[in-house]
Amino acid sequence: MKNILITGGAGFIGSHLVRLMVNKYPQYNIINLDKLTYAGNLENLKDIESYTNYQFVKGDICDYEFVMNLFREKSIDGVIHLAAESHVDRSIKDPFSFANTNVLGTLSLLQAAKNYWGESGREGFKGKLFYHVSTDEVYGSLEQDGTFFTEDTKYDPHSPYSASKAASDHFVRAYFDTYGLPIVISNCSNNYGSYQFPEKLIPLFINNICNNKPLPVYGKGENVRDWLYVEDHAIAIDLIFHKGKNGDTYNIGGFNEWRNIDLIKVMIKTVDRLLGRPEGSSETLITYVTDRAGHDLRYAIDSTKLHKELGWSPSLQFEEGIERTVAWYLNNKEWLNRVTSGDYQRYYEEMYKE
Ligand SMILES: NC(=O)c1ccc[n+]([C@@H]2O[C@H](COP(=O)([O-])OP(=O)(O)OC[C@H]3O[C@@H](n4cnc5c(N)ncnc54)[C@H](O)[C@@H]3O)[C@@H](O)[C@H]2O)c1
């Protein structure tokens, strides 16, 4: 029996990972630690909440004493750390929350892992692992020149979000170098799929197209992102958690680059078709707005290492992934309505009163 702590499991990627791990590993106890910020929603995990190998714990990763007690109480053997503030626009308005959660929160988890596993010396680190889930945004921005981010690309973050994630990556590596804490890091490209909070591009735009609301496109929509289906990210995390090399970094991406404006047109066509509107008719909703400050031009991940060493490739073609994603949001209007109205938080506030 292994006790695995997943942080941020009520969020977008975390909920997919928790579902995968709970279903695939009945022999593990999966403990989901989440503060339930605006981005955390336990409704994302309704289908597995009664499983005997799953437990939810409400708490803040920044609270070291609380985290240390949790390690002791649950005899934690491994950590997969996803909890974070994750929205770039919010980081521009409130950088302190990002430094607090992403940097100090990660530090508090690292310190608890080191102190708990290392109570009887470095021998205690055997069989343990601290897995830190990070982003390709730490690498900065690429030109439109066909180059890719590899694991050796120099860090060059530009937004408060990416700077906070870069700092947390450095702390994780520092714990490996200084204390010998077993760690692994992955840096992934943009994810898309079900259960994503509708402040992010894909769910926001699907929702706006459905409701005939404007589609605010930054600049000329020429920024390029590399999109990966969220379930493929969860599969990669599972693989790296079990087979990744201690101290290593793995890039995760789908070799699937899209200019924002082209992606938006694909979403428009798909939503129009599924709603029985003339395909492309919702393009009139596109509204160009002032570009985001410090907006990185292009991200593109080279995930060759992960493919060659651990045999991972994305399982889904983008066309199928986006079709599934649009269909999911159209078929789960209640989820979308509760999230956009804030009702999901009121419900869980009652349930988890402190
Ligand atoms: N979304 C992407 O495209 C993407 C791509 C690459 C990497 N990542 C990374 O993956 C991780 C998950 O991203 P996501 O998109 O699922 O994020 P999300 O914003 O959907 O979820 C974050 C979760 O963390 C929880 N959380 C926030 N602060 C906390 C705290 N102090 N203590 C405990 N829990 C807290 C929230 O309640 C929420 O459930 C992040 O670390 C992010 O940097 C995301």
Side-chain angles (χ1 to χ4, degrees):
M1 178 68 82
K2 272 197 168 185
N3 301 314
I4 312 296
L5 180 69
I6 298 183
T7 70
F12 166 48
I13 302 170
S15 60
H16 284 278
L17 180 69
V18 166
R19 179 172 300 100
L20 182 151
M21 298 288 282
V22 163
N23 278 307
K24 189 168 169 188
Y25 301 105
Q27 71 274 32
Y28 291 177
N29 274 321
I30 302 297
I31 297 122
N32 170 12
L33 167 61
D34 199 297
K35 187 180 168 185
L36 297 182
T37 67
Y38 79 95
N41 183 357
L42 287 177
E43 229 182 299
N44 299 358
L45 290 166
K46 259 208 154 341
D47 52 326
I48 56 111
E49 68 185 4
S50 60
Y51 283 32
T52 50
N53 63 336
Y54 169 71
Q55 265 179 286
F56 172 71
V57 177
K58 185 174 189 282
D60 189 340
I61 56 164
C62 299
D63 181 345
Y64 171 75
E65 293 302 326
F66 163 80
V67 172
M68 189 64 193
N69 284 337
L70 189 68
F71 268 76
R72 286 217 171 88
E73 195 189 305
K74 306 287 182 195
S75 307
I76 299 300
D77 299 301
V79 176
I80 309 181
H81 172 38
L82 296 97
E85 288 294 339
S86 68
H87 190 41
V88 175
D89 289 340
R90 284 179 189 259
S91 80
I92 293 168
K93 291 196 182 103
D94 177 17
F96 282 101
S97 311
F98 282 70
N100 195 38
T101 299
N102 299 358
V103 186
L104 296 179
T106 301
L107 186 56
S108 135
L109 283 165
L110 283 165
Q111 184 72 357
K114 173 188 82 83
N115 286 348
Y116 174 65
W117 294 334
E119 265 167 357
S120 48
R122 281 200 179 193
E123 276 301 292
F125 288 165
K126 264 201 190 133
K128 307 290 192 275
L129 182 63
F130 188 102
Y131 181 164
H132 178 59
V133 174
S134 192
T135 167
D136 60 353
E137 302 193 24
V138 297
Y139 297 125
S141 185
L142 293 166
E143 295 301 321
Q144 306 276 30
D145 58 0
T147 53
F148 292 91
F149 297 134
T150 71
E151 287 79 0
D152 297 323
T153 302
K154 203 166 121 295
Y155 275 30
D156 182 22
H158 296 148
S159 72
Y161 165 66
S162 53
S164 68
K165 291 297 291 188
S168 64
D169 292 9
H170 290 319
F171 267 109
V172 175
R173 288 198 186 95
Y175 269 66
F176 174 75
D177 291 334
T178 309
Y179 308 109
L181 187 77
I183 63 108
V184 72
I185 298 179
S186 59
N187 296 84
C188 187
S189 60
N190 279 30
N191 285 212
Y192 70 98
S194 54
Y195 298 112
Q196 188 169 28
F197 194 81
E199 64 183 351
K200 303 276 170 71
L201 183 84
I202 291 189
L204 174 74
F205 277 38
I206 295 172
N207 194 30
N208 283 12
I209 300 164
C210 288
N211 294 308
N212 285 308
K213 284 191 180 162
L215 306 174
V217 179
Y218 279 132
K220 294 182 182 151
E222 282 173 347
N223 303 69
V224 174
R225 298 293 179 262
D226 177 357
W227 291 92
L228 181 69
Y229 192 59
V230 62
E231 291 180 27
D232 277 325
H233 187 188
I235 291 169
I237 293 174
D238 171 27
L239 191 63
I240 295 167
F241 182 69
H242 287 96
K243 304 250 168 75
K245 202 170 137 230
N246 184 16
D248 252 11
T249 293
Y250 297 87
N251 278 355
I252 312 175
F255 289 108
N256 177 43
E257 290 179 52
W258 286 83
R259 285 195 318 157
N260 283 349
I261 191 65
D262 298 330
L263 174 76
I264 290 161
K265 289 184 178 167
V266 170
M267 281 194 281
I268 289 175
K269 279 203 177 106
T270 315
V271 176
D272 281 347
R273 177 165 42 76
L274 293 180
L275 289 180
R277 298 176 184 167
E279 260 187 47
S281 58
S282 301
E283 281 190 18
T284 51
L285 298 171
I286 293 176
T287 313
Y288 292 95
V289 298
T290 312
D291 208 354
R292 171 193 273 165
H295 205 173
D296 290 332
L297 177 65
R298 175 172 166 258
Y299 302 143
I301 274 275
D302 179 351
S303 52
T304 307
K305 175 178 173 181
L306 182 57
H307 177 67
K308 278 199 177 149
E309 291 188 9
L310 304 185
W312 177 90
S313 318
S315 66
L316 212 61
Q317 291 298 314
F318 182 70
E319 290 67 24
E320 195 188 335
I322 200 75
E323 181 88 16
R324 270 197 210 177
T325 302
V326 170
W328 189 87
Y329 287 99
L330 296 187
N331 292 330
N332 288 275
K333 284 245 175 66
E334 275 190 23
W335 180 91
L336 207 51
N337 290 341
R338 275 198 295 276
V339 173
T340 44
S341 68
D343 273 357
Y344 71 108
Q345 275 185 318
R346 281 189 280 282
Y347 175 70
Y348 288 111
E349 266 162 24
E350 271 305 302
M351 233 169 129
Y352 290 98
K353 264 195 188 133
E354 279 161 48

